[in-house]
Amino acid sequence: MYSIKLVLKFLVLPLILVGAMGSCDEPEAEKYNFEDWQKITVTASAYNSLKQQGEGNPFITAWGDSLRPEVQSIAVSRDLIRKGLKHNTPVKIEGFEGVFFVNDKMHPRWRNKIDIYMGLDKEKALKWGRRKVEIAFPAKDEPGG
């Protein structure tokens, strides 16, 4: 017999997510007021969905999300989760267009770090390397934060 968790995870949640994404004429970035967002500087690196870069299925995140190259996703160090960068939090990253979403979390050894998902493009990830960037995200008491 199927458990309720499995039914919710594989049937109901995808339907809710598709419905929530819906058809909106407004561009993604215009939904947010970045001026009111909390800003911090973090170390940013990049990662891909390649077998050698992780354990298990390289397209499944630590939160159980499926990574897709067309969705701008990041992984965050666990100290940043405590600062408000929890699952599905929208994030604006210096040097990038659009909004990224927190869909993955990193090993507990990392501090003040994000990993930017770059699909299967290993060269793009290597070219990005590692650098300090400013990110912005809603404060904990704001919607989406």
Side-chain angles (χ1 to χ4, degrees), residues 17-78:
L17 289 174
V18 168
M21 290 167 60
S23 62
C24 182
D25 297 329
E26 167 178 35
E28 185 69 29
E30 291 180 14
K31 293 181 190 177
Y32 304 105
N33 182 4
F34 302 121
E35 295 303 316
D36 296 335
W37 284 14
Q38 179 177 337
K39 294 175 179 66
I40 60 172
T41 299
V42 298
T43 300
S45 56
Y47 74 113
N48 307 105
S49 290
L50 303 173
K51 275 281 190 209
Q52 63 268 28
Q53 290 185 358
E55 297 176 15
N57 184 335
F59 292 96
I60 303 297
T61 72
W63 270 306
D65 292 343
S66 293
L67 291 170
R68 296 187 325 264
E70 67 273 10
V71 176
Q72 297 192 117
S73 299
I74 62 170
V76 297
S77 57
R78 295 175 190 230

Side-chain angles (χ1 to χ4, degrees), residues 68-92:
R68 296 187 325 264
E70 67 273 10
V71 176
Q72 297 192 117
S73 299
I74 62 170
V76 297
S77 57
R78 295 175 190 230
D79 62 318
L80 295 178
I81 296 170
R82 291 186 293 277
K83 291 182 179 181
L85 283 161
K86 60 184 191 243
H87 187 237
N88 285 329
T89 299
V91 179
K92 181 75 176 130

